[in-house]
Amino acid sequence: MIKIYAPASIGNINVGFDILGASISPIDQSLLGDCVTISHSKEFFLKTTGDFAHELPKDITNNIVWQCWLSFCKKINQKVPVSIILEKNMPIGSGLGSSACSIVATLVALNKLFNNPINQNDLLILMGSLEGVISGTVHYDNVAPCYLGGIQLIINQKKIISQSIPNCNDWFWVITWPGININTAESRSLLPNQYPKETCINHGRYVASFIHASHTMQYNLAANLMKDLIAEPYRSSLIPNFKKIKKEIIQQGSLVCGISGSGPSIFAICSDIDTAKKIEQKIIHNHIIQKNGFVKICKINNIGAQTIG
Ligand code: HSE
């Protein structure tokens, strides 16, 4: 029996739409992510548990775990019966890489159970294609950090899908999910097909300079460059009070604030724990919309998917 934990992630991190993503874990040691337990069996079996299992499709063939299993069998040219328990701890449509958590945990668990027939790169490609089944387009900015940890830069050239870039160990990432759901495909459909030339130039400048600043460990400069010209202007209206919350978060001393992935979760980067705690309290008191919403103070998870239990 194998149990894999796959952590939550923040797609885009403002500056790199579809090409940058960060793996995160709460500092209180709670597991923010999905877990998959897998064992050999006579026939395929799937059980779902966890706080958000009720949000999953009732028809098992629509469950991404089943689709992961099918894709895995196809890739290794063998139908391997397994028993899977999916612990669905992540809210669906939260912008925290919920589907990536299920995909990554399942494929890593399957691969491990059968002694790694698929190499790391091919497994990541498979993860990306399954993410595409859910969100309509293949984008790796959740599956790559969820699988490999850290901040991942999506390269996607000549079979190099993703590589990690340095990240600031001192930063605290405060994430808040307001308890509402946004469908990724719908959130993507709000974005324009074309952008003005000036936006393209500035976007390129911010991304390139952010990567440069990260590699030269100029982390204050890196934070100043984390600006979202691509998605936030079109998605912010989906998130109740986004502009007000962002203004307050920045006033409290956060270095960066933005939409996590396709929303509605918001992230804020703080250089010290006191600021992170102040922001956490302010959000809890003023902004959690549904009672199952949450705020978590996180650090970058440099490990990614891992065996637990
Ligand atoms: N880069 C993707 C998007 C992430 O913003 O649509 C989805 O979680």
mmCIF file of all heavy atoms in Angstrom, residues 107-130:
data_model
loop_
_atom_site.group_PDB
_atom_site.id
_atom_site.type_symbol
_atom_site.label_atom_id
_atom_site.label_comp_id
_atom_site.label_asym_id
_atom_site.label_seq_id
_atom_site.Cartn_x
_atom_site.Cartn_y
_atom_site.Cartn_z
ATOM 1 N N LEU A 107 -1.260 9.783 -10.116
ATOM 2 C CA LEU A 107 -0.243 9.267 -11.047
ATOM 3 C C LEU A 107 1.064 8.919 -10.331
ATOM 4 O O LEU A 107 1.713 7.925 -10.678
ATOM 5 C CB LEU A 107 0.001 10.274 -12.175
ATOM 6 C CG LEU A 107 -1.129 10.342 -13.217
ATOM 7 C CD1 LEU A 107 -0.869 11.434 -14.241
ATOM 8 C CD2 LEU A 107 -1.324 9.004 -13.934
ATOM 9 N N VAL A 108 1.428 9.714 -9.342
ATOM 10 C CA VAL A 108 2.649 9.380 -8.591
ATOM 11 C C VAL A 108 2.441 8.061 -7.842
ATOM 12 O O VAL A 108 3.325 7.186 -7.827
ATOM 13 C CB VAL A 108 3.039 10.528 -7.623
ATOM 14 C CG1 VAL A 108 4.146 10.096 -6.664
ATOM 15 C CG2 VAL A 108 3.486 11.751 -8.419
ATOM 16 N N ALA A 109 1.256 7.889 -7.263
ATOM 17 C CA ALA A 109 0.964 6.661 -6.512
ATOM 18 C C ALA A 109 0.967 5.444 -7.445
ATOM 19 O O ALA A 109 1.577 4.410 -7.134
ATOM 20 C CB ALA A 109 -0.381 6.793 -5.803
ATOM 21 N N LEU A 110 0.308 5.577 -8.593
ATOM 22 C CA LEU A 110 0.271 4.458 -9.556
ATOM 23 C C LEU A 110 1.683 4.097 -10.014
ATOM 24 O O LEU A 110 2.071 2.917 -10.052
ATOM 25 C CB LEU A 110 -0.561 4.854 -10.782
ATOM 26 C CG LEU A 110 -2.077 4.726 -10.661
ATOM 27 C CD1 LEU A 110 -2.769 5.525 -11.763
ATOM 28 C CD2 LEU A 110 -2.492 3.253 -10.736
ATOM 29 N N ASN A 111 2.442 5.123 -10.355
ATOM 30 C CA ASN A 111 3.790 4.881 -10.872
ATOM 31 C C ASN A 111 4.664 4.192 -9.827
ATOM 32 O O ASN A 111 5.423 3.271 -10.137
ATOM 33 C CB ASN A 111 4.404 6.226 -11.293
ATOM 34 C CG ASN A 111 5.454 6.057 -12.365
ATOM 35 O OD1 ASN A 111 5.328 5.194 -13.245
ATOM 36 N ND2 ASN A 111 6.493 6.870 -12.312
ATOM 37 N N LYS A 112 4.505 4.625 -8.588
ATOM 38 C CA LYS A 112 5.304 4.037 -7.501
ATOM 39 C C LYS A 112 4.888 2.590 -7.241
ATOM 40 O O LYS A 112 5.746 1.711 -7.066
ATOM 41 C CB LYS A 112 5.126 4.889 -6.239
ATOM 42 C CG LYS A 112 6.270 4.776 -5.259
ATOM 43 C CD LYS A 112 6.153 5.861 -4.197
ATOM 44 C CE LYS A 112 7.025 5.591 -3.013
ATOM 45 N NZ LYS A 112 8.437 5.587 -3.184
ATOM 46 N N LEU A 113 3.572 2.357 -7.274
ATOM 47 C CA LEU A 113 3.084 0.996 -6.990
ATOM 48 C C LEU A 113 3.625 -0.011 -8.018
ATOM 49 O O LEU A 113 3.854 -1.167 -7.698
ATOM 50 C CB LEU A 113 1.550 0.991 -6.995
ATOM 51 C CG LEU A 113 0.874 -0.285 -6.515
ATOM 52 C CD1 LEU A 113 1.071 -0.466 -5.005
ATOM 53 C CD2 LEU A 113 -0.631 -0.271 -6.822
ATOM 54 N N PHE A 114 3.834 0.473 -9.250
ATOM 55 C CA PHE A 114 4.318 -0.440 -10.305
ATOM 56 C C PHE A 114 5.808 -0.224 -10.624
ATOM 57 O O PHE A 114 6.259 -0.461 -11.743
ATOM 58 C CB PHE A 114 3.427 -0.310 -11.548
ATOM 59 C CG PHE A 114 2.035 -0.829 -11.279
ATOM 60 C CD1 PHE A 114 1.005 0.031 -10.918
ATOM 61 C CD2 PHE A 114 1.772 -2.194 -11.297
ATOM 62 C CE1 PHE A 114 -0.265 -0.455 -10.613
ATOM 63 C CE2 PHE A 114 0.503 -2.688 -10.993
ATOM 64 C CZ PHE A 114 -0.517 -1.818 -10.647
ATOM 65 N N ASN A 115 6.544 0.278 -9.634
ATOM 66 C CA ASN A 115 8.005 0.429 -9.730
ATOM 67 C C ASN A 115 8.471 1.369 -10.844
ATOM 68 O O ASN A 115 9.403 1.053 -11.590
ATOM 69 C CB ASN A 115 8.690 -0.938 -9.856
ATOM 70 C CG ASN A 115 8.406 -1.788 -8.644
ATOM 71 O OD1 ASN A 115 8.420 -1.280 -7.531
ATOM 72 N ND2 ASN A 115 8.091 -3.059 -8.869
ATOM 73 N N ASN A 116 7.809 2.480 -10.961
ATOM 74 C CA ASN A 116 8.210 3.582 -11.834
ATOM 75 C C ASN A 116 8.421 3.230 -13.306
ATOM 76 O O ASN A 116 9.499 3.482 -13.864
ATOM 77 C CB ASN A 116 9.483 4.253 -11.277
ATOM 78 C CG ASN A 116 9.257 4.761 -9.864
ATOM 79 O OD1 ASN A 116 8.268 5.432 -9.585
ATOM 80 N ND2 ASN A 116 10.145 4.405 -8.960
ATOM 81 N N PRO A 117 7.408 2.670 -13.975
ATOM 82 C CA PRO A 117 7.552 2.386 -15.409
ATOM 83 C C PRO A 117 7.608 3.664 -16.266
ATOM 84 O O PRO A 117 8.093 3.623 -17.399
ATOM 85 C CB PRO A 117 6.281 1.581 -15.741
ATOM 86 C CG PRO A 117 5.288 1.961 -14.683
ATOM 87 C CD PRO A 117 6.089 2.249 -13.454
ATOM 88 N N ILE A 118 7.121 4.782 -15.742
ATOM 89 C CA ILE A 118 7.108 6.035 -16.517
ATOM 90 C C ILE A 118 8.119 7.002 -15.890
ATOM 91 O O ILE A 118 8.115 7.209 -14.668
ATOM 92 C CB ILE A 118 5.694 6.675 -16.506
ATOM 93 C CG1 ILE A 118 4.641 5.655 -16.993
ATOM 94 C CG2 ILE A 118 5.658 7.918 -17.386
ATOM 95 C CD1 ILE A 118 3.209 6.167 -16.974
ATOM 96 N N ASN A 119 8.974 7.592 -16.738
ATOM 97 C CA ASN A 119 9.976 8.503 -16.166
ATOM 98 C C ASN A 119 9.338 9.842 -15.776
ATOM 99 O O ASN A 119 8.208 10.142 -16.152
ATOM 100 C CB ASN A 119 11.179 8.688 -17.119
ATOM 101 C CG ASN A 119 10.791 9.430 -18.389
ATOM 102 O OD1 ASN A 119 9.999 10.366 -18.372
ATOM 103 N ND2 ASN A 119 11.347 9.003 -19.517
ATOM 104 N N GLN A 120 10.085 10.645 -15.018
ATOM 105 C CA GLN A 120 9.544 11.874 -14.426
ATOM 106 C C GLN A 120 8.982 12.825 -15.487
ATOM 107 O O GLN A 120 7.893 13.395 -15.332
ATOM 108 C CB GLN A 120 10.647 12.574 -13.632
ATOM 109 C CG GLN A 120 10.143 13.730 -12.818
ATOM 110 C CD GLN A 120 11.263 14.437 -12.085
ATOM 111 O OE1 GLN A 120 12.057 15.173 -12.670
ATOM 112 N NE2 GLN A 120 11.354 14.214 -10.802
ATOM 113 N N ASN A 121 9.714 12.968 -16.586
ATOM 114 C CA ASN A 121 9.281 13.901 -17.626
ATOM 115 C C ASN A 121 7.995 13.429 -18.303
ATOM 116 O O ASN A 121 7.062 14.215 -18.511
ATOM 117 C CB ASN A 121 10.400 14.057 -18.654
ATOM 118 C CG ASN A 121 10.304 15.376 -19.372
ATOM 119 O OD1 ASN A 121 10.196 16.421 -18.742
ATOM 120 N ND2 ASN A 121 10.292 15.329 -20.696
ATOM 121 N N ASP A 122 7.949 12.148 -18.633
ATOM 122 C CA ASP A 122 6.746 11.624 -19.299
ATOM 123 C C ASP A 122 5.541 11.645 -18.353
ATOM 124 O O ASP A 122 4.403 11.837 -18.788
ATOM 125 C CB ASP A 122 6.989 10.202 -19.825
ATOM 126 C CG ASP A 122 7.876 10.223 -21.058
ATOM 127 O OD1 ASP A 122 8.083 11.321 -21.617
ATOM 128 O OD2 ASP A 122 8.385 9.161 -21.459
ATOM 129 N N LEU A 123 5.821 11.439 -17.064
ATOM 130 C CA LEU A 123 4.724 11.495 -16.093
ATOM 131 C C LEU A 123 4.164 12.927 -16.023
ATOM 132 O O LEU A 123 2.947 13.126 -15.972
ATOM 133 C CB LEU A 123 5.211 11.043 -14.713
ATOM 134 C CG LEU A 123 4.141 10.509 -13.762
ATOM 135 C CD1 LEU A 123 3.440 9.275 -14.315
ATOM 136 C CD2 LEU A 123 4.728 10.184 -12.388
ATOM 137 N N LEU A 124 5.055 13.905 -16.080
ATOM 138 C CA LEU A 124 4.616 15.306 -16.052
ATOM 139 C C LEU A 124 3.796 15.638 -17.305
ATOM 140 O O LEU A 124 2.777 16.330 -17.225
ATOM 141 C CB LEU A 124 5.842 16.228 -15.930
ATOM 142 C CG LEU A 124 5.577 17.729 -15.810
ATOM 143 C CD1 LEU A 124 4.605 18.064 -14.679
ATOM 144 C CD2 LEU A 124 6.884 18.494 -15.589
ATOM 145 N N ILE A 125 4.218 15.116 -18.441
ATOM 146 C CA ILE A 125 3.450 15.344 -19.683
ATOM 147 C C ILE A 125 2.044 14.749 -19.545
ATOM 148 O O ILE A 125 1.041 15.362 -19.924
ATOM 149 C CB ILE A 125 4.208 14.757 -20.904
ATOM 150 C CG1 ILE A 125 5.482 15.570 -21.145
ATOM 151 C CG2 ILE A 125 3.327 14.745 -22.155
ATOM 152 C CD1 ILE A 125 6.439 14.989 -22.174
ATOM 153 N N LEU A 126 1.987 13.551 -18.959
ATOM 154 C CA LEU A 126 0.683 12.903 -18.735
ATOM 155 C C LEU A 126 -0.181 13.747 -17.779
ATOM 156 O O LEU A 126 -1.385 13.931 -18.008
ATOM 157 C CB LEU A 126 0.935 11.508 -18.149
ATOM 158 C CG LEU A 126 -0.188 10.486 -18.234
ATOM 159 C CD1 LEU A 126 -0.651 10.289 -19.666
ATOM 160 C CD2 LEU A 126 0.294 9.135 -17.668
ATOM 161 N N MET A 127 0.446 14.271 -16.754
ATOM 162 C CA MET A 127 -0.284 15.131 -15.795
ATOM 163 C C MET A 127 -0.856 16.361 -16.501
ATOM 164 O O MET A 127 -2.002 16.743 -16.277
ATOM 165 C CB MET A 127 0.658 15.590 -14.662
ATOM 166 C CG MET A 127 1.052 14.492 -13.717
ATOM 167 S SD MET A 127 2.466 15.006 -12.698
ATOM 168 C CE MET A 127 2.704 13.526 -11.702
ATOM 169 N N GLY A 128 -0.043 16.975 -17.369
ATOM 170 C CA GLY A 128 -0.490 18.160 -18.100
ATOM 171 C C GLY A 128 -1.683 17.843 -18.995
ATOM 172 O O GLY A 128 -2.648 18.606 -19.064
ATOM 173 N N SER A 129 -1.631 16.675 -19.662
ATOM 174 C CA SER A 129 -2.733 16.350 -20.577
ATOM 175 C C SER A 129 -4.017 16.083 -19.784
ATOM 176 O O SER A 129 -5.109 16.438 -20.217
ATOM 177 C CB SER A 129 -2.367 15.175 -21.492
ATOM 178 O OG SER A 129 -2.275 14.009 -20.730
ATOM 179 N N LEU A 130 -3.898 15.517 -18.581
ATOM 180 C CA LEU A 130 -5.093 15.293 -17.756
ATOM 181 C C LEU A 130 -5.637 16.602 -17.189
ATOM 182 O O LEU A 130 -6.845 16.787 -17.081
ATOM 183 C CB LEU A 130 -4.783 14.281 -16.659
ATOM 184 C CG LEU A 130 -4.759 12.854 -17.231
ATOM 185 C CD1 LEU A 130 -3.797 11.964 -16.499
ATOM 186 C CD2 LEU A 130 -6.160 12.254 -17.246
#
